[in-house]
Amino acid sequence: ETGVTQTPRHLVMGMTNKKSLKCEQHLGHNAMYWYKQSAKKPLELMFVYNFKEQTENNSVPSRFSPECPNSSHLFLHLHTLQPEDSALYLCASSQDMEGLAGGGRYFGPGTRLTVT
Amino acid sequence: GQNIDQPTEMTATEGAIVQINCTYQTSGFNGLFWYQQHAGEAPTFLSYNVLDGLEEKGRFSSFLSRSKGYSYLLLKELQMKDSASYLCAVIDSNYQLIWGAGTKLIIKP
């Protein structure tokens, strides 16, 4: 148990669907992240929230829309996705933005997304 | 640009020792992480090095040379459960975490 949970674990959606990914951290951390992990590629940082304020958006297409209602919850809203968006989406949290204390980033198990 | 290099895949035998190398070129340096990721699971923290030298933690050790931009993860007495991907990541001067693509380690009996 890593203290970061994600739902759903698997998601298959068509290109015209709208769905949301949910992340919750029980660690009392202040920073939360969305990452995209594709096979044989480095983790790609998508969004960063610090104290529920978005601090970074790494040129992510608008079909991905994050939401952070409080320091413990993070959502990723998906609409009109493309097949190349199929990947593992990982949520992570860290104690602070520097991410050095206490083991760096704590990751959830991820959502395996398939876009058909 | 910023870059982390590590081998794509390595194979080792149960009970043996394996060393996974990581070289980096980044804008500044605030530390290097190693994470372990089993297939279909979350990456989990293994080690953090910010000073030169070797840090030992049970069967796993991590080494850092900042002057050479080089680190390695050493796994001793390999077990089948060590089959996983090992991710190297560096925190740069802006506290951005730069990731390598990971090394898939296959353990054979």
Side-chain angles (χ1 to χ4, degrees), chain A residues 9 35 37 40-43 45 56 88 90 97-100 103-105 107-109, chain B residues 8 30-31 33 35 37 40-45 48 87 91 95-97 99-101:
Chain A
R9 293 293 309 275
Y35 284 93
Q37 188 176 36
K40 300 185 179 179
K41 288 186 177 180
L43 285 172
L45 180 64
E56 191 157 345
L88 181 68
L90 291 164
M97 281 294 293
E98 292 184 353
L100 300 178
R105 281 154 181 70
F107 286 86
Chain B
T8 303
N30 275 305
F33 287 96
Y35 284 83
Q37 185 178 22
E41 297 183 13
T44 55
F45 169 81
Y48 171 66
L87 310 179
I91 293 193
Y95 295 98
Q96 301 290 318
L97 194 56
W99 293 88

Short mmCIF file of all heavy atoms in Angstrom, two decimals, chain A residues 9 35 37 40-43 45 56 88 90 97-100 103-105 107-109, chain B residues 8 30-31 33 35 37 40-45 48 87 91 95-97 99-101:
data_model
loop_
_atom_site.label_atom_id
_atom_site.label_comp_id
_atom_site.label_asym_id
_atom_site.label_seq_id
_atom_site.Cartn_x
_atom_site.Cartn_y
_atom_site.Cartn_z
N ARG A 9 -8.56 1.13 -12.55
CA ARG A 9 -7.25 0.57 -12.87
C ARG A 9 -7.11 0.34 -14.38
O ARG A 9 -6.01 0.41 -14.92
CB ARG A 9 -7.03 -0.74 -12.12
CG ARG A 9 -6.93 -0.59 -10.61
CD ARG A 9 -5.67 0.18 -10.19
NE ARG A 9 -4.47 -0.36 -10.79
CZ ARG A 9 -3.78 -1.38 -10.28
NH1 ARG A 9 -4.17 -1.96 -9.17
NH2 ARG A 9 -2.68 -1.80 -10.89
N TYR A 35 1.33 11.85 -14.52
CA TYR A 35 2.35 11.44 -15.47
C TYR A 35 1.71 10.50 -16.50
O TYR A 35 0.80 9.75 -16.20
CB TYR A 35 3.45 10.63 -14.78
CG TYR A 35 4.45 11.43 -13.96
CD1 TYR A 35 4.26 11.64 -12.61
CD2 TYR A 35 5.60 11.94 -14.56
CE1 TYR A 35 5.19 12.34 -11.86
CE2 TYR A 35 6.54 12.64 -13.82
CZ TYR A 35 6.33 12.83 -12.47
OH TYR A 35 7.25 13.53 -11.73
N GLN A 37 2.90 7.31 -18.92
CA GLN A 37 3.98 6.35 -19.14
C GLN A 37 3.66 5.49 -20.35
O GLN A 37 2.71 4.72 -20.34
CB GLN A 37 4.20 5.47 -17.90
CG GLN A 37 5.45 4.60 -18.00
CD GLN A 37 5.73 3.81 -16.74
OE1 GLN A 37 4.80 3.35 -16.06
NE2 GLN A 37 7.01 3.64 -16.41
N LYS A 40 8.74 1.90 -23.08
CA LYS A 40 10.12 2.21 -23.44
C LYS A 40 10.40 3.70 -23.57
O LYS A 40 11.36 4.10 -24.24
CB LYS A 40 10.53 1.47 -24.71
CG LYS A 40 10.43 -0.04 -24.58
CD LYS A 40 10.94 -0.76 -25.80
CE LYS A 40 10.84 -2.28 -25.59
NZ LYS A 40 11.30 -3.05 -26.75
N LYS A 41 9.57 4.52 -22.94
CA LYS A 41 9.81 5.97 -22.94
C LYS A 41 9.91 6.45 -21.51
O LYS A 41 9.32 5.86 -20.60
CB LYS A 41 8.65 6.70 -23.63
CG LYS A 41 8.60 6.54 -25.12
CD LYS A 41 7.49 7.44 -25.67
CE LYS A 41 7.42 7.38 -27.16
NZ LYS A 41 6.33 8.27 -27.69
N PRO A 42 10.62 7.56 -21.28
CA PRO A 42 10.64 8.13 -19.93
C PRO A 42 9.26 8.60 -19.51
O PRO A 42 8.42 8.93 -20.36
CB PRO A 42 11.59 9.33 -20.07
CG PRO A 42 12.38 9.07 -21.29
CD PRO A 42 11.49 8.29 -22.20
N LEU A 43 9.04 8.62 -18.22
CA LEU A 43 7.80 9.19 -17.71
C LEU A 43 7.66 10.63 -18.20
O LEU A 43 8.61 11.41 -18.16
CB LEU A 43 7.82 9.19 -16.18
CG LEU A 43 7.60 7.85 -15.47
CD1 LEU A 43 7.84 7.99 -13.98
CD2 LEU A 43 6.20 7.35 -15.73
N LEU A 45 5.85 14.14 -17.57
CA LEU A 45 5.08 14.93 -16.63
C LEU A 45 4.01 15.70 -17.39
O LEU A 45 4.30 16.38 -18.38
CB LEU A 45 6.01 15.91 -15.90
CG LEU A 45 5.35 16.82 -14.88
CD1 LEU A 45 4.75 16.01 -13.72
CD2 LEU A 45 6.36 17.84 -14.36
N GLU A 56 2.09 23.75 -13.10
CA GLU A 56 2.76 23.36 -14.35
C GLU A 56 1.79 22.63 -15.26
O GLU A 56 1.00 21.82 -14.82
CB GLU A 56 3.96 22.46 -14.03
CG GLU A 56 4.86 22.22 -15.22
CD GLU A 56 6.27 21.83 -14.81
OE1 GLU A 56 6.62 22.01 -13.63
OE2 GLU A 56 7.00 21.35 -15.67
N LEU A 88 -0.23 4.21 -19.78
CA LEU A 88 -0.47 4.09 -18.34
C LEU A 88 -0.40 5.50 -17.76
O LEU A 88 0.59 6.21 -17.96
CB LEU A 88 0.59 3.20 -17.70
CG LEU A 88 0.46 2.96 -16.18
CD1 LEU A 88 -0.78 2.12 -15.88
CD2 LEU A 88 1.71 2.27 -15.64
N LEU A 90 -0.19 7.69 -14.50
CA LEU A 90 0.21 7.57 -13.11
C LEU A 90 -0.02 8.88 -12.36
O LEU A 90 0.33 9.96 -12.85
CB LEU A 90 1.70 7.22 -13.01
CG LEU A 90 2.10 5.82 -13.47
CD1 LEU A 90 3.60 5.74 -13.69
CD2 LEU A 90 1.67 4.77 -12.46
N MET A 97 7.06 20.71 -3.20
CA MET A 97 7.39 20.84 -4.61
C MET A 97 8.81 20.42 -4.93
O MET A 97 9.10 20.01 -6.04
CB MET A 97 7.18 22.30 -5.05
CG MET A 97 5.72 22.65 -5.29
SD MET A 97 5.05 21.73 -6.69
CE MET A 97 5.98 22.43 -8.02
N GLU A 98 9.70 20.52 -3.96
CA GLU A 98 11.07 20.10 -4.24
C GLU A 98 11.15 18.59 -4.40
O GLU A 98 11.98 18.08 -5.13
CB GLU A 98 12.00 20.58 -3.11
CG GLU A 98 12.16 22.08 -3.07
CD GLU A 98 13.17 22.53 -2.02
OE1 GLU A 98 13.63 21.67 -1.26
OE2 GLU A 98 13.48 23.72 -1.98
N GLY A 99 10.28 17.90 -3.69
CA GLY A 99 10.20 16.46 -3.87
C GLY A 99 11.43 15.68 -3.44
O GLY A 99 11.72 14.61 -3.97
N LEU A 100 12.16 16.24 -2.47
CA LEU A 100 13.36 15.55 -2.03
C LEU A 100 13.14 14.78 -0.75
O LEU A 100 13.79 13.77 -0.49
CB LEU A 100 14.49 16.57 -1.80
CG LEU A 100 14.91 17.39 -3.01
CD1 LEU A 100 15.99 18.38 -2.62
CD2 LEU A 100 15.39 16.48 -4.12
N GLY A 103 11.64 10.21 0.41
CA GLY A 103 11.48 9.24 -0.66
C GLY A 103 10.92 9.80 -1.95
O GLY A 103 10.46 9.04 -2.81
N GLY A 104 10.95 11.13 -2.09
CA GLY A 104 10.57 11.71 -3.37
C GLY A 104 9.09 11.57 -3.65
O GLY A 104 8.26 11.90 -2.81
N ARG A 105 8.79 11.11 -4.84
CA ARG A 105 7.41 10.99 -5.26
C ARG A 105 6.84 9.61 -4.91
O ARG A 105 7.50 8.60 -5.11
CB ARG A 105 7.28 11.24 -6.76
CG ARG A 105 7.31 12.72 -7.11
CD ARG A 105 7.81 12.96 -8.50
NE ARG A 105 7.87 14.35 -8.89
CZ ARG A 105 8.73 15.23 -8.41
NH1 ARG A 105 9.59 14.89 -7.48
NH2 ARG A 105 8.73 16.48 -8.85
N PHE A 107 3.90 7.05 -5.88
CA PHE A 107 3.05 6.82 -7.05
C PHE A 107 1.86 5.94 -6.72
O PHE A 107 1.95 5.03 -5.88
CB PHE A 107 3.86 6.13 -8.16
CG PHE A 107 4.83 7.03 -8.84
CD1 PHE A 107 6.11 7.22 -8.33
CD2 PHE A 107 4.47 7.70 -10.00
CE1 PHE A 107 7.01 8.06 -8.96
CE2 PHE A 107 5.38 8.54 -10.65
CZ PHE A 107 6.64 8.72 -10.12
N GLY A 108 0.77 6.21 -7.42
CA GLY A 108 -0.35 5.28 -7.42
C GLY A 108 -0.09 4.17 -8.42
O GLY A 108 0.88 4.23 -9.19
N PRO A 109 -0.96 3.16 -8.44
CA PRO A 109 -0.76 2.01 -9.33
C PRO A 109 -1.03 2.30 -10.80
O PRO A 109 -0.66 1.50 -11.66
CB PRO A 109 -1.75 0.98 -8.79
CG PRO A 109 -2.82 1.79 -8.15
CD PRO A 109 -2.14 3.00 -7.59
N THR B 8 18.36 -0.46 -21.93
CA THR B 8 16.94 -0.79 -22.09
C THR B 8 16.58 -2.08 -21.36
O THR B 8 15.53 -2.16 -20.72
CB THR B 8 16.61 -0.94 -23.58
OG1 THR B 8 16.95 0.27 -24.25
CG2 THR B 8 15.13 -1.24 -23.79
N ASN B 30 20.30 18.22 -8.10
CA ASN B 30 19.86 18.26 -6.70
C ASN B 30 19.59 16.87 -6.16
O ASN B 30 18.92 16.72 -5.14
CB ASN B 30 18.61 19.13 -6.56
CG ASN B 30 18.94 20.60 -6.39
OD1 ASN B 30 19.69 20.97 -5.49
ND2 ASN B 30 18.40 21.42 -7.26
N GLY B 31 20.09 15.87 -6.86
CA GLY B 31 19.94 14.52 -6.35
C GLY B 31 19.49 13.56 -7.43
O GLY B 31 18.99 13.96 -8.48
N PHE B 33 17.45 9.74 -7.99
CA PHE B 33 16.59 8.70 -7.44
C PHE B 33 16.69 7.42 -8.27
O PHE B 33 16.88 7.47 -9.49
CB PHE B 33 15.11 9.14 -7.49
CG PHE B 33 14.73 10.19 -6.50
CD1 PHE B 33 14.72 11.53 -6.87
CD2 PHE B 33 14.34 9.84 -5.22
CE1 PHE B 33 14.35 12.51 -5.96
CE2 PHE B 33 13.96 10.82 -4.31
CZ PHE B 33 13.96 12.15 -4.68
N TYR B 35 14.06 4.11 -8.74
CA TYR B 35 12.76 3.53 -8.43
C TYR B 35 12.69 2.14 -9.05
O TYR B 35 13.30 1.87 -10.10
CB TYR B 35 11.63 4.37 -9.03
CG TYR B 35 11.31 5.64 -8.29
CD1 TYR B 35 12.05 6.80 -8.52
CD2 TYR B 35 10.27 5.70 -7.37
CE1 TYR B 35 11.76 7.97 -7.85
CE2 TYR B 35 9.96 6.87 -6.70
CZ TYR B 35 10.72 8.00 -6.94
OH TYR B 35 10.42 9.17 -6.27
N GLN B 37 9.91 -0.66 -10.56
CA GLN B 37 8.53 -0.77 -11.03
C GLN B 37 8.28 -2.17 -11.56
O GLN B 37 8.79 -2.54 -12.62
CB GLN B 37 8.22 0.27 -12.11
CG GLN B 37 6.77 0.28 -12.54
CD GLN B 37 6.45 1.33 -13.57
OE1 GLN B 37 7.34 1.80 -14.29
NE2 GLN B 37 5.20 1.75 -13.66
N GLY B 40 2.82 -3.55 -14.37
CA GLY B 40 1.45 -3.27 -13.97
C GLY B 40 1.30 -2.64 -12.60
O GLY B 40 0.18 -2.51 -12.10
N GLU B 41 2.42 -2.25 -11.99
CA GLU B 41 2.36 -1.67 -10.65
C GLU B 41 2.99 -0.28 -10.62
O GLU B 41 3.57 0.19 -11.59
CB GLU B 41 3.06 -2.58 -9.65
CG GLU B 41 2.40 -3.95 -9.51
CD GLU B 41 3.07 -4.81 -8.45
OE1 GLU B 41 3.87 -4.29 -7.65
OE2 GLU B 41 2.80 -6.02 -8.44
N ALA B 42 2.85 0.37 -9.47
CA ALA B 42 3.41 1.71 -9.30
C ALA B 42 4.92 1.66 -9.12
O ALA B 42 5.45 0.72 -8.52
CB ALA B 42 2.79 2.37 -8.07
N PRO B 43 5.64 2.66 -9.61
CA PRO B 43 7.06 2.78 -9.25
C PRO B 43 7.18 2.99 -7.74
O PRO B 43 6.38 3.73 -7.15
CB PRO B 43 7.51 4.04 -10.00
CG PRO B 43 6.51 4.24 -11.08
CD PRO B 43 5.21 3.72 -10.54
N THR B 44 8.16 2.33 -7.13
CA THR B 44 8.37 2.50 -5.69
C THR B 44 9.81 2.94 -5.44
O THR B 44 10.73 2.51 -6.13
CB THR B 44 8.09 1.21 -4.91
OG1 THR B 44 8.87 0.15 -5.46
CG2 THR B 44 6.63 0.83 -4.97
N PHE B 45 9.99 3.79 -4.47
CA PHE B 45 11.27 4.40 -4.15
C PHE B 45 12.28 3.35 -3.67
O PHE B 45 11.96 2.50 -2.84
CB PHE B 45 11.05 5.43 -3.05
CG PHE B 45 12.31 5.96 -2.42
CD1 PHE B 45 13.04 6.96 -3.04
CD2 PHE B 45 12.76 5.47 -1.20
CE1 PHE B 45 14.19 7.46 -2.46
CE2 PHE B 45 13.91 5.96 -0.61
CZ PHE B 45 14.63 6.96 -1.25
N TYR B 48 17.96 7.43 -2.83
CA TYR B 48 18.20 8.83 -3.18
C TYR B 48 19.65 9.14 -2.85
O TYR B 48 20.08 8.94 -1.71
CB TYR B 48 17.25 9.74 -2.41
CG TYR B 48 17.56 11.22 -2.54
CD1 TYR B 48 17.41 11.86 -3.76
CD2 TYR B 48 17.98 11.97 -1.45
CE1 TYR B 48 17.68 13.22 -3.88
CE2 TYR B 48 18.25 13.32 -1.56
CZ TYR B 48 18.09 13.94 -2.78
OH TYR B 48 18.35 15.28 -2.91
N LEU B 87 14.06 2.51 -12.70
CA LEU B 87 14.02 3.86 -13.27
C LEU B 87 15.00 4.76 -12.55
O LEU B 87 14.99 4.84 -11.32
CB LEU B 87 12.60 4.45 -13.12
CG LEU B 87 11.42 3.59 -13.58
CD1 LEU B 87 10.11 4.32 -13.35
CD2 LEU B 87 11.57 3.20 -15.03
N ILE B 91 16.96 15.15 -10.21
CA ILE B 91 16.32 16.45 -9.94
C ILE B 91 17.30 17.55 -10.35
O ILE B 91 18.43 17.60 -9.84
CB ILE B 91 15.93 16.59 -8.46
CG1 ILE B 91 14.82 15.60 -8.13
CG2 ILE B 91 15.49 18.00 -8.15
CD1 ILE B 91 14.13 15.85 -6.82
N TYR B 95 14.40 21.90 -9.64
CA TYR B 95 13.65 20.86 -8.94
C TYR B 95 12.68 20.15 -9.86
O TYR B 95 11.65 19.64 -9.42
CB TYR B 95 12.95 21.42 -7.69
CG TYR B 95 13.95 21.89 -6.66
CD1 TYR B 95 14.29 23.22 -6.56
CD2 TYR B 95 14.59 20.97 -5.84
CE1 TYR B 95 15.24 23.65 -5.64
CE2 TYR B 95 15.54 21.38 -4.92
CZ TYR B 95 15.86 22.73 -4.83
OH TYR B 95 16.80 23.14 -3.93
N GLN B 96 13.02 20.12 -11.16
CA GLN B 96 12.28 19.30 -12.11
C GLN B 96 12.89 17.90 -12.05
O GLN B 96 14.12 17.74 -12.01
CB GLN B 96 12.42 19.84 -13.52
CG GLN B 96 11.93 21.27 -13.69
CD GLN B 96 10.43 21.38 -13.57
OE1 GLN B 96 9.70 20.55 -14.10
NE2 GLN B 96 9.96 22.39 -12.86
N LEU B 97 12.03 16.89 -12.09
CA LEU B 97 12.51 15.51 -12.04
C LEU B 97 12.62 14.99 -13.48
O LEU B 97 11.63 14.91 -14.20
CB LEU B 97 11.54 14.67 -11.22
CG LEU B 97 12.01 13.29 -10.77
CD1 LEU B 97 13.29 13.38 -9.98
CD2 LEU B 97 10.93 12.61 -9.95
N TRP B 99 13.50 12.00 -16.02
CA TRP B 99 13.45 10.54 -15.94
C TRP B 99 14.20 9.87 -17.08
O TRP B 99 14.18 10.33 -18.21
CB TRP B 99 11.99 10.08 -16.02
CG TRP B 99 11.16 10.47 -14.85
CD1 TRP B 99 10.48 11.63 -14.67
CD2 TRP B 99 10.94 9.69 -13.66
NE1 TRP B 99 9.85 11.63 -13.45
CE2 TRP B 99 10.10 10.46 -12.81
CE3 TRP B 99 11.36 8.43 -13.24
CZ2 TRP B 99 9.69 9.99 -11.57
CZ3 TRP B 99 10.94 7.96 -12.01
CH2 TRP B 99 10.12 8.75 -11.19
N GLY B 100 14.83 8.75 -16.75
CA GLY B 100 15.31 7.84 -17.78
C GLY B 100 14.16 6.96 -18.23
O GLY B 100 13.10 6.94 -17.61
N ALA B 101 14.39 6.22 -19.31
CA ALA B 101 13.34 5.37 -19.88
C ALA B 101 13.20 4.06 -19.11
O ALA B 101 12.25 3.31 -19.35
CB ALA B 101 13.63 5.08 -21.35
#
